[in-house]
Amino acid sequence: MDGGTDILMRGDEAGLGTPEEDLTSVAALAALDDVPERLVVSVGSGVDAYHGVSHGLVLENIAALERAGAYLGAFSLPRATREGALFLDAVADAQEQTPDRPSIVNGSIAAAVRGSFGDVQFTSRTRGSELFVNPLMSLCFAFDLPGLAARCLYLDRIEDTHLMRQVHSRIAEFREELITRPARRIPH
């Protein structure tokens, strides 16, 4: 489960977000051939625009995953459901446990689940930035993990790493070798 959509980036996009933790998890799980069902779920579409993720390219990547047979569909997390209520409770509990550093990602998704829209400020950590909380943040996109892993252009370069700084360096080295796809605006 990934909060945001940077897990869907192949590596050749103009902005990758913060892929280090996401893709080390994908690489580890992709290597487990004896696990029959491996899924990736992405929730919080739009939340990682702050980190340079182009959501036009996210949609392009989802379309490519559909063509490859790796997109499994989407579902929402409405607040009126048991799952939505449990999610909101979990986020509230986590924020109580970390009052000085609440998760911006989870807070944004929770605000969307509650029906908030626009520049919803729920922590001083986002002061000075404009948020765009919206209903798409409460959608969960599901993917076949091996299919997603097969589309990552640098996964083989991080397989033998042990430290997060090694992962970061390997991704940076990979990106120096290519011309990135420019960000795409969603035209509507």
Side-chain angles (χ1 to χ4, degrees):
M1 179 70 120
D2 179 34
T5 53
D6 53 358
I7 200 166
L8 306 177
M9 300 289 96
R10 291 170 18 120
D12 63 349
E13 297 84 2
L16 292 186
T18 55
E20 290 82 3
E21 291 177 0
D22 300 335
L23 273 296
T24 53
S25 297
V26 168
L29 290 170
L32 299 177
D33 292 328
D34 57 335
V35 178
E37 200 164 343
R38 294 165 287 170
L39 306 175
V40 170
V41 176
S42 170
V43 61
S45 182
V47 77
D48 40 19
Y50 178 80
H51 290 286
V53 172
S54 161
H55 289 87
L57 290 178
V58 167
L59 295 175
E60 184 178 322
N61 289 351
I62 291 173
L65 287 160
E66 169 63 37
R67 288 190 306 276
Y71 176 53
L72 303 176
F75 58 95
S76 64
L77 190 61
R79 70 185 169 113
T81 64
R82 180 176 183 270
E83 295 79 9
L86 289 171
F87 175 78
L88 292 174
D89 288 347
V91 171
D93 184 60
Q95 288 177 337
E96 283 179 28
Q97 301 302 316
T98 58
D100 296 333
R101 197 147 170 82
S103 169
I104 295 168
V105 171
N106 284 327
S108 296
I109 297 166
V113 169
R114 286 191 298 273
S116 298
F117 183 82
D119 189 15
V120 179
Q121 298 289 326
F122 51 86
T123 174
S124 60
R125 292 183 61 207
T126 59
R127 188 178 307 125
S129 63
E130 184 177 352
L131 302 180
F132 183 60
V133 171
N134 67 83
L136 295 177
M137 290 181 172
S138 66
L139 289 179
C140 300
F141 296 90
F143 305 89
D144 172 69
L145 185 136
L148 179 78
R151 289 193 36 82
C152 181
L153 301 173
Y154 60 85
L155 205 61
D156 61 326
R157 296 181 184 221
I158 65 172
E159 288 175 338
D160 65 343
T161 57
H162 299 283
L163 303 171
M164 205 52 66
R165 65 187 156 130
Q166 291 173 313
V167 174
H168 181 78
S169 295
R170 299 271 179 90
I171 294 171
E173 289 168 7
F174 164 77
R175 289 181 56 77
E176 288 175 7
E177 299 170 8
L178 60 93
I179 297 172
T180 58
R181 292 186 289 153
R184 291 186 68 163
R185 294 186 52 80
I186 298 172
H188 298 76

